[in-house]
Amino acid sequence: MTFTDPAPAQAPEMPPPEEMWAGPAAIAVLGALVPDHGSPWQRWGRALDHDHSEGRCCLALVEGGRAVLFGYDVDGSRTRRAAPAVDLLAGGPGWLPWEWLDKALRDAEIVSFLAWWDGRAWYRVPLPEGADEVLYPDADADDVYESLLEFCLDGGWDDDDEDSQERQDALKAGLDALVAAASERRLGEGVLKGLADALPDPDTADTEGALAEARRLGLTGEEEPPALPAGTGEPAGRRVHLPEGQAGASVGVAARGTAERPRPEPVEPGPALRAFLDWAGGHAPAGVTVSAVGYGDITVRVGGAHLPAPPGGGADPSAALARAWREEEADPRSGAWLYARVDTGRGTVERFYDGLPDRAHPAEMSTRALERLRGEMAARDGEWRPDWAALLAEDFVRDGAPPRLCWNPGIPLSLG
């Protein structure tokens, strides 16, 4: 299956990166001012990386007035559970820092949104309906107050101290000055000293370290904010890093719609198939699909839905009947079918030995089934192995999947 990368879509409205940079950079300066407490914002190479309980966000500036933003949100991110995986860089511009992004996305492990700023607007790849919108860190003055008060000042004042409110007012005034100066790129020693004096223990403040951090982050006006070199084009052989659980659906993309090699159909149904058809006639008037590539060794669905538990409990016999049918028809040279459909009304049976039918969801192919399929395909004679069987030797979780095996607008997607 081949397709052309879709044209990038304009991302939901977000501020320019220079505005987004100032707030988190100011918080990073606070971390340098009170080094014993650390900072929720850390510089990741030449980027600002925010890793917190609600998710993660990384903002990197790129030479030429451009930028890239990526991360995930614990509650709102759905693409991280997508099957097959969504390639968040599909059709991205050549100037993206591709090599840096490859390492950063691998290190981040979970990434569900990514956008780039071309100097005029934010863009991202088209996303499936119901998937994530781009998120960004809203690090305004209130966030700065909250972050500083939470990780720097907890327990720093006695609630009975009559001067407490006055000192907190002085701290907020210092924070106002910090954010304003950072936004205008005029942050200097005077602002930092004023803020340090408002801390519960001014002697612990590292004004020189904070000023050096402000210079590195481009907040003083003496230096430009750090920017990554622009890329020179998408690297050949690029891979898309997958969280656990998406590898099977990637193989499913390749297996979906595979042309079936001609095989002789059984002249007469064997006893195992007759037993299954007898069961289907009484339980599945809407038809049956049987998959041997799912989480279990056999999955039976009636009318597209999983079977309900039998009344009164006990095991459902359909999986055992389907398993016996599959084993009955397996050929030592050409293998067993992977997927089958039974039209109960017509009494017809379709078998798919070499892949998934066009209408099957790629997520039908589970990661758990890949090891099983590896053994089955190895047991077939070479002429009976479909081309996609070579993918079973790859470790997509470790190495990433080729972009062609990720979601595109031409195939369905499961968002978990």
Side-chain angles (χ1 to χ4, degrees):
M1 181 186 66
T2 59
F3 66 95
T4 303
D5 285 329
Q10 192 158 343
E13 186 174 349
M14 297 188 293
E18 58 269 20
E19 293 182 22
M20 298 169 66
W21 182 267
I27 298 177
V29 171
L30 291 175
L33 184 66
V34 192
D36 289 344
H37 293 276
S39 170
W41 283 90
Q42 304 292 338
R43 288 184 303 109
W44 186 358
R46 302 182 197 183
L48 284 170
D49 179 39
H50 187 193
D51 193 354
H52 59 99
S53 61
E54 300 301 320
R56 186 172 199 166
C57 190
C58 181
L59 174 64
L61 305 180
V62 181
E63 65 181 3
R66 297 169 292 204
V68 62
L69 173 76
F70 63 85
Y72 73 93
D73 176 75
V74 170
D75 296 322
S77 293
R78 302 192 68 197
T79 54
R80 67 191 179 109
R81 294 186 293 273
V86 176
D87 179 7
L88 298 173
L89 286 168
W95 59 260
L96 285 173
W98 290 94
E99 286 78 9
W100 182 89
L101 275 172
D102 181 71
K103 183 179 186 306
L105 296 181
R106 182 185 293 273
D107 291 346
E109 295 183 351
I110 299 175
V111 175
S112 62
F113 64 85
L114 186 147
W116 57 85
W117 172 267
D118 68 355
R120 294 168 295 179
W122 286 102
Y123 291 89
R124 59 164 168 78
V125 301
L127 295 179
E129 184 177 355
D132 303 88
E133 292 297 315
V134 175
L135 307 175
Y136 67 95
D138 185 15
D140 59 15
D142 290 339
D143 295 305
V144 175
Y145 297 151
E146 182 180 349
S147 296
L148 182 66
L149 292 170
E150 180 178 345
F151 74 83
C152 289
L153 303 181
D154 186 26
W157 277 301
D158 183 347
D159 290 338
D160 296 329
D161 185 350
E162 294 181 359
D163 296 331
S164 177
Q165 186 60 53
E166 182 178 343
R167 295 174 66 189
Q168 290 190 47
D169 290 344
L171 171 64
K172 291 181 179 180
L175 290 169
D176 275 334
L178 172 68
V179 173
S183 299
E184 297 171 9
R185 296 186 58 202
R186 56 174 178 78
L187 182 55
E189 187 176 13
V191 172
L192 294 171
K193 284 186 173 180
L195 180 55
D197 289 342
L199 295 171
D201 188 357
D203 293 337
T204 64
D206 182 1
T207 305
E208 290 185 5
L211 185 59
E213 183 76 342
R215 288 194 186 99
R216 283 193 292 269
L217 295 174
L219 303 182
T220 65
E222 301 170 71
E223 302 177 16
E224 290 296 316
L228 296 166
T232 56
E234 180 177 349
R238 178 177 70 88
R239 292 292 182 113
V240 179
H241 303 301
L242 305 181
E244 196 74 39
Q246 293 179 321
S250 296
V251 178
V253 172
R256 185 170 177 263
T258 299
E260 289 288 315
R261 291 169 171 79
R263 284 176 171 82
E265 293 290 330
V267 177
E268 293 289 339
L273 175 54
R274 287 198 299 269
F276 185 81
L277 292 175
D278 287 344
W279 172 88
H283 296 81
V288 185
T289 60
V290 185
S291 170
V293 296
Y295 285 95
D297 61 338
I298 288 288
T299 303
V300 179
R301 296 189 182 92
V302 173
H306 289 282
L307 289 168
D316 187 331
S318 62
L321 292 170
R323 188 180 302 112
W325 161 32
R326 183 171 187 260
E327 291 171 357
E328 174 181 75
E329 296 184 348
D331 182 89
R333 295 182 59 249
S334 60
W337 49 259
L338 306 177
Y339 195 91
R341 287 195 294 233
V342 175
D343 185 323
T344 310
R346 297 179 181 178
T348 57
V349 179
E350 289 182 281
R351 300 167 181 84
F352 300 85
Y353 294 82
D354 298 320
L356 300 176
D358 283 331
R359 287 175 288 171
H361 199 298
E364 184 78 47
M365 188 85 77
S366 76
T367 300
R368 189 180 302 173
L370 297 186
E371 186 65 33
R372 214 165 51 238
L373 282 170
R374 190 176 296 119
E376 287 199 20
M377 291 298 169
R380 291 186 184 186
D381 286 358
E383 64 183 295
W384 294 106
R385 294 175 197 154
D387 292 342
W388 58 263
L391 298 172
L392 297 171
E394 299 199 41
D395 188 339
F396 291 155
V397 175
R398 182 192 65 200
D399 302 327
R404 65 184 176 84
L405 300 183
C406 295
W407 175 83
N408 69 79
I411 61 175
L413 182 90
S414 170
L415 290 172

